Amino acid sequence: MINIQKAAMIGCGFVGSSSAFSLMHSGIFSELVLIDADQARAEGEAMDLSHGLPFSRPMKIYAGSYADLRDCGLIIITAGAGQKPGETRLDLVHKNVAIFKSIIPQITAYNQEAVLLIVSNPVDILTQVAIKLSHFPAGRVLGSGTVLDTARLKYLLGEHLRVDSRSVHAFIIGEHGDSELAVWSGATVSGVPLDHFCELRGHYDHEAADHRLYSEVRDSAYEIISRKGATYYGVAMTVNRIATCIARDEHSVLPVSTLLTGQYGIEGLCLSIPAVVGRGGVETVLDIPLSDEEHAALVRSADTLREVLDGLDL
């Protein structure tokens, strides 16, 4: 029987360990198993995290094996090569597809009922790879997508407008990568159209501001990696947000990576698109209104990913 309060983290590098730390603080799981190709690393992370439990909430954190996945309700995959300075997320594709070919069969040997949350990059490609290799229903395999990119956009808009970023409602969609796009046409601040709110705050050059903010979002990972070698805190908070949505069956709308079945005229491809997410994973993929320019940019983003997929041996 699946235990919805039990989660697994496969991969204990910067992203996996930071995500485990964030999940420990959230209190949404009673059990968290850490799995890594380096067993000693997983054991060390489990020990270090467990020593903080007296300051958090009761739960069991331990290093385990794939056999420990039998009753996991949520399996999070962060394993894979990380993005290095000068690399794009798509540069990682062949290395990480090979890693997934090893990981996914080991998961399905013990568990075919869990929700799989893919975090490794390139996340849209690897979400599709995971669906194909696992044979899970597409809704039960989702990627972290552009949830972090969207949070970055909200943060930057909040700073630009001197307003709480939680009041900003806007999406980054498409590839979690260089071809992603901002949906400016539907952006609001607590229901007030973005351009109008900008003018209320004394900003009138909307096109220039949109371009600057989008560029900062798109390039932010490169900027962080050039300074500290990797990004992991923002990703960890993203994992926590999605995991909470699943564990608590929130039915929240998040721009996760999910398989499109004709939405926006795109079929058979995983892209980061707003979707209703609950205990079973993706419940409904939303076909949100886009301007003609935004729709064309989304199709170009899809074409970029399809070209990469066509070159893979799956």
Side-chain angles (χ1 to χ4, degrees):
M1 181 177 291
I2 291 298
N3 179 0
I4 62 171
Q5 288 194 309
K6 180 178 179 181
M9 185 72 65
I10 300 179
C12 294
F14 284 131
V15 172
S17 57
S18 298
S19 297
F21 181 68
S22 183
L23 291 175
M24 180 183 79
H25 274 286
S26 72
I28 57 174
F29 296 109
S30 61
E31 191 172 343
L32 179 64
V33 55
L34 308 181
I35 298 173
D36 195 273
D38 182 347
Q39 178 69 9
R41 173 67 183 264
E43 291 170 356
E45 295 292 355
M47 292 170 64
D48 199 6
L49 288 165
S50 296
H51 296 166
L53 285 174
F55 307 114
S56 183
R57 302 175 191 180
M59 68 180 297
K60 182 180 180 182
I61 305 175
Y62 60 99
S65 67
Y66 285 93
D68 292 301
L69 300 180
R70 290 183 191 278
D71 58 342
C72 275
L74 176 64
I75 299 171
I76 304 164
I77 305 177
T78 67
Q83 192 176 350
K84 297 177 181 177
E87 282 188 318
T88 69
R89 295 176 181 92
L90 290 180
D91 288 334
L92 307 174
V93 66
H94 293 288
K95 289 181 282 189
N96 287 347
V97 166
I99 290 170
F100 268 50
K101 285 181 176 180
S102 170
I103 288 174
I104 300 298
Q106 295 186 80
I107 293 173
T108 57
Y110 294 100
N111 188 323
Q112 298 180 15
E113 302 298 326
V115 173
L116 297 184
L117 173 56
I118 311 303
V119 185
S120 313
N121 277 318
V123 69
D124 304 290
I125 297 289
L126 293 178
T127 300
Q128 188 140 358
V129 169
I131 292 171
K132 185 174 181 63
L133 294 177
S134 69
H135 303 292
F136 279 20
R140 279 203 286 116
V141 183
L142 66 159
S144 51
T146 52
V147 177
L148 175 56
D149 310 75
T150 293
R152 288 167 171 158
L153 178 63
K154 291 181 178 182
Y155 166 74
L156 290 171
L157 277 168
E159 291 294 294
H160 177 62
L161 298 172
R162 291 175 291 116
V163 68
D164 185 346
S165 60
R166 294 172 298 179
S167 296
V168 177
H169 303 281
F171 288 115
I172 296 286
I173 65 172
E175 175 203 0
H176 172 55
D178 293 347
S179 69
E180 65 189 20
L181 61 135
V183 185
W184 297 115
S185 62
T188 71
V189 179
S190 290
V192 179
L194 181 60
D195 285 355
H196 181 57
F197 195 93
C198 286
E199 290 171 8
L200 292 175
R201 302 298 263 172
H203 301 288
Y204 296 92
D205 193 350
H206 305 311
E207 187 174 343
D210 289 354
H211 178 73
R212 176 180 64 81
L213 291 166
Y214 163 75
S215 297
E216 285 188 39
V217 170
R218 182 196 60 204
D219 299 338
S220 57
Y222 298 121
E223 295 294 333
I224 295 169
I225 290 168
S226 70
R227 288 165 171 79
K228 57 176 276 188
T231 71
Y232 36 93
Y233 296 130
V235 184
M237 293 296 287
T238 298
V239 170
N240 187 5
R241 177 70 193 97
I242 301 170
T244 299
C245 182
I246 293 168
R248 293 182 176 164
D249 199 23
E250 289 185 353
H251 314 290
S252 294
V253 175
L254 299 171
V256 294
S257 185
T258 186
L259 187 68
L260 299 191
T261 56
Q263 298 88 349
Y264 310 97
I266 301 167
E267 190 166 2
L269 186 72
C270 285
L271 277 177
S272 301
I273 295 292
V276 179
V277 180
R279 183 160 294 158
V282 172
E283 298 173 355
T284 306
V285 180
L286 302 180
D287 208 330
I288 64 172
L290 301 175
S291 69
D292 291 344
E293 184 179 63
E294 290 163 352
H295 183 266
L298 181 62
V299 171
R300 288 194 298 271
S301 187
D303 289 343
T304 297
L305 291 175
R306 202 180 295 278
E307 187 176 336
V308 174
L309 274 169
D310 289 344
L312 297 178
D313 178 22
L314 294 175

